[in-house]
mmCIF file of all heavy atoms in Angstrom:
data_model
loop_
_atom_site.group_PDB
_atom_site.id
_atom_site.type_symbol
_atom_site.label_atom_id
_atom_site.label_comp_id
_atom_site.label_asym_id
_atom_site.label_seq_id
_atom_site.Cartn_x
_atom_site.Cartn_y
_atom_site.Cartn_z
ATOM 1 N N ARG A 50 3.981 -6.098 -25.701
ATOM 2 C CA ARG A 50 2.949 -6.176 -26.736
ATOM 3 C C ARG A 50 2.877 -7.593 -27.303
ATOM 4 O O ARG A 50 1.790 -8.148 -27.495
ATOM 5 C CB ARG A 50 3.251 -5.170 -27.841
ATOM 6 C CG ARG A 50 2.182 -5.098 -28.932
ATOM 7 C CD ARG A 50 2.485 -4.022 -29.957
ATOM 8 N NE ARG A 50 2.481 -2.684 -29.343
ATOM 9 C CZ ARG A 50 3.578 -1.973 -29.079
ATOM 10 N NH1 ARG A 50 4.782 -2.467 -29.395
ATOM 11 N NH2 ARG A 50 3.496 -0.793 -28.514
ATOM 12 N N SER A 72 4.095 3.009 -20.319
ATOM 13 C CA SER A 72 5.083 4.070 -20.506
ATOM 14 C C SER A 72 5.212 4.940 -19.261
ATOM 15 O O SER A 72 6.313 5.352 -18.878
ATOM 16 C CB SER A 72 4.710 4.940 -21.711
ATOM 17 O OG SER A 72 4.714 4.174 -22.901
ATOM 18 N N VAL A 159 16.856 -19.374 -17.289
ATOM 19 C CA VAL A 159 17.269 -20.479 -16.413
ATOM 20 C C VAL A 159 18.379 -21.340 -17.013
ATOM 21 O O VAL A 159 19.289 -21.765 -16.279
ATOM 22 C CB VAL A 159 16.035 -21.321 -16.023
ATOM 23 C CG1 VAL A 159 16.451 -22.568 -15.249
ATOM 24 C CG2 VAL A 159 15.081 -20.474 -15.185
ATOM 25 N N PRO A 233 25.178 -14.650 7.171
ATOM 26 C CA PRO A 233 25.475 -13.330 6.598
ATOM 27 C C PRO A 233 24.752 -13.073 5.282
ATOM 28 O O PRO A 233 24.256 -11.965 5.057
ATOM 29 C CB PRO A 233 26.999 -13.357 6.419
ATOM 30 C CG PRO A 233 27.474 -14.327 7.449
ATOM 31 C CD PRO A 233 26.414 -15.394 7.497
ATOM 32 N N GLU A 276 -1.792 2.652 17.051
ATOM 33 C CA GLU A 276 -2.863 3.647 17.199
ATOM 34 C C GLU A 276 -2.283 5.063 17.155
ATOM 35 O O GLU A 276 -2.476 5.875 18.067
ATOM 36 C CB GLU A 276 -3.647 3.404 18.498
ATOM 37 C CG GLU A 276 -4.321 2.037 18.539
ATOM 38 C CD GLU A 276 -5.058 1.783 19.837
ATOM 39 O OE1 GLU A 276 -5.081 2.676 20.707
ATOM 40 O OE2 GLU A 276 -5.618 0.679 19.995
ATOM 41 N N ALA A 334 19.842 2.163 -4.026
ATOM 42 C CA ALA A 334 19.978 3.552 -4.464
ATOM 43 C C ALA A 334 19.105 3.831 -5.687
ATOM 44 O O ALA A 334 18.386 4.836 -5.752
ATOM 45 C CB ALA A 334 21.445 3.860 -4.772
ATOM 46 N N ARG A 377 18.970 2.072 35.719
ATOM 47 C CA ARG A 377 18.283 1.637 36.918
ATOM 48 C C ARG A 377 16.800 1.571 36.566
ATOM 49 O O ARG A 377 16.108 2.580 36.599
ATOM 50 C CB ARG A 377 18.538 2.608 38.088
ATOM 51 C CG ARG A 377 19.989 2.669 38.513
ATOM 52 C CD ARG A 377 20.449 1.353 39.135
ATOM 53 N NE ARG A 377 21.853 1.400 39.534
ATOM 54 C CZ ARG A 377 22.858 0.996 38.777
ATOM 55 N NH1 ARG A 377 22.607 0.525 37.556
ATOM 56 N NH2 ARG A 377 24.095 1.057 39.213
ATOM 57 N N HIS A 393 -0.935 -28.038 31.786
ATOM 58 C CA HIS A 393 -1.081 -29.320 32.467
ATOM 59 C C HIS A 393 0.319 -29.856 32.736
ATOM 60 O O HIS A 393 1.225 -29.684 31.924
ATOM 61 C CB HIS A 393 -1.863 -30.316 31.609
ATOM 62 C CG HIS A 393 -3.177 -29.788 31.108
ATOM 63 N ND1 HIS A 393 -4.311 -29.770 31.887
ATOM 64 C CD2 HIS A 393 -3.522 -29.246 29.915
ATOM 65 C CE1 HIS A 393 -5.313 -29.253 31.186
ATOM 66 N NE2 HIS A 393 -4.855 -28.923 29.987
ATOM 67 N N VAL A 405 17.215 -34.881 36.512
ATOM 68 C CA VAL A 405 17.982 -33.803 35.894
ATOM 69 C C VAL A 405 19.141 -33.364 36.777
ATOM 70 O O VAL A 405 20.219 -33.009 36.275
ATOM 71 C CB VAL A 405 17.059 -32.617 35.526
ATOM 72 C CG1 VAL A 405 16.592 -31.869 36.757
ATOM 73 C CG2 VAL A 405 17.763 -31.658 34.562
ATOM 74 N N ASP A 467 24.472 -21.372 27.581
ATOM 75 C CA ASP A 467 24.193 -19.948 27.448
ATOM 76 C C ASP A 467 24.817 -19.153 28.590
ATOM 77 O O ASP A 467 25.244 -18.015 28.411
ATOM 78 C CB ASP A 467 22.680 -19.741 27.410
ATOM 79 C CG ASP A 467 22.299 -18.371 26.874
ATOM 80 O OD1 ASP A 467 22.924 -17.927 25.905
ATOM 81 O OD2 ASP A 467 21.389 -17.760 27.441
ATOM 82 N N PRO A 495 26.763 -35.746 14.680
ATOM 83 C CA PRO A 495 26.938 -36.424 13.383
ATOM 84 C C PRO A 495 25.599 -36.879 12.810
ATOM 85 O O PRO A 495 24.676 -37.247 13.547
ATOM 86 C CB PRO A 495 27.819 -37.616 13.740
ATOM 87 C CG PRO A 495 27.480 -37.917 15.166
ATOM 88 C CD PRO A 495 27.231 -36.576 15.802
ATOM 89 N N THR A 573 13.294 -27.169 21.141
ATOM 90 C CA THR A 573 12.264 -27.776 21.974
ATOM 91 C C THR A 573 11.039 -28.170 21.154
ATOM 92 O O THR A 573 10.389 -29.178 21.455
ATOM 93 C CB THR A 573 11.858 -26.829 23.110
ATOM 94 O OG1 THR A 573 11.497 -25.562 22.583
ATOM 95 C CG2 THR A 573 13.000 -26.648 24.084
ATOM 96 N N HIS A 592 5.565 -25.524 4.930
ATOM 97 C CA HIS A 592 4.492 -24.719 4.349
ATOM 98 C C HIS A 592 4.326 -23.422 5.135
ATOM 99 O O HIS A 592 4.545 -23.370 6.346
ATOM 100 C CB HIS A 592 3.189 -25.517 4.367
ATOM 101 C CG HIS A 592 2.086 -24.918 3.556
ATOM 102 N ND1 HIS A 592 1.278 -23.905 4.035
ATOM 103 C CD2 HIS A 592 1.635 -25.191 2.292
ATOM 104 C CE1 HIS A 592 0.385 -23.584 3.110
ATOM 105 N NE2 HIS A 592 0.577 -24.345 2.050
ATOM 106 N N ASP A 623 22.816 -5.853 33.071
ATOM 107 C CA ASP A 623 23.237 -5.006 31.957
ATOM 108 C C ASP A 623 23.041 -5.710 30.614
ATOM 109 O O ASP A 623 23.877 -5.650 29.731
ATOM 110 C CB ASP A 623 24.693 -4.570 32.119
ATOM 111 C CG ASP A 623 25.019 -3.427 31.167
ATOM 112 O OD1 ASP A 623 24.210 -2.509 31.051
ATOM 113 O OD2 ASP A 623 26.089 -3.484 30.531
ATOM 114 N N SER A 695 1.524 -22.260 27.121
ATOM 115 C CA SER A 695 0.905 -22.113 28.442
ATOM 116 C C SER A 695 1.849 -22.581 29.536
ATOM 117 O O SER A 695 1.887 -21.988 30.632
ATOM 118 C CB SER A 695 -0.408 -22.887 28.501
ATOM 119 O OG SER A 695 -0.203 -24.278 28.296
ATOM 120 N N TRP A 700 5.428 -21.364 34.070
ATOM 121 C CA TRP A 700 6.754 -21.489 34.695
ATOM 122 C C TRP A 700 7.262 -20.126 35.139
ATOM 123 O O TRP A 700 7.773 -19.976 36.245
ATOM 124 C CB TRP A 700 7.723 -22.148 33.718
ATOM 125 C CG TRP A 700 9.075 -22.401 34.297
ATOM 126 C CD1 TRP A 700 9.483 -23.508 34.966
ATOM 127 C CD2 TRP A 700 10.199 -21.520 34.260
ATOM 128 N NE1 TRP A 700 10.797 -23.387 35.354
ATOM 129 C CE2 TRP A 700 11.259 -22.173 34.934
ATOM 130 C CE3 TRP A 700 10.427 -20.250 33.737
ATOM 131 C CZ2 TRP A 700 12.517 -21.585 35.086
ATOM 132 C CZ3 TRP A 700 11.671 -19.667 33.892
ATOM 133 C CH2 TRP A 700 12.700 -20.332 34.557
ATOM 134 N N GLY A 720 26.347 -9.464 37.571
ATOM 135 C CA GLY A 720 26.618 -10.543 36.626
ATOM 136 C C GLY A 720 28.045 -10.603 36.161
ATOM 137 O O GLY A 720 28.630 -11.665 36.094
ATOM 138 N N PRO A 728 27.371 -8.705 29.529
ATOM 139 C CA PRO A 728 26.591 -9.368 30.562
ATOM 140 C C PRO A 728 26.384 -10.835 30.234
ATOM 141 O O PRO A 728 26.691 -11.299 29.146
ATOM 142 C CB PRO A 728 25.267 -8.621 30.519
ATOM 143 C CG PRO A 728 25.154 -8.190 29.113
ATOM 144 C CD PRO A 728 26.546 -7.871 28.662
#
Side-chain angles (χ1 to χ4, degrees):
R50 184 176 297 105
S72 298
V159 173
E276 299 178 2
R377 296 293 179 266
H393 308 279
V405 72
D467 197 41
T573 53
H592 192 278
D623 194 44
S695 61
W700 184 89

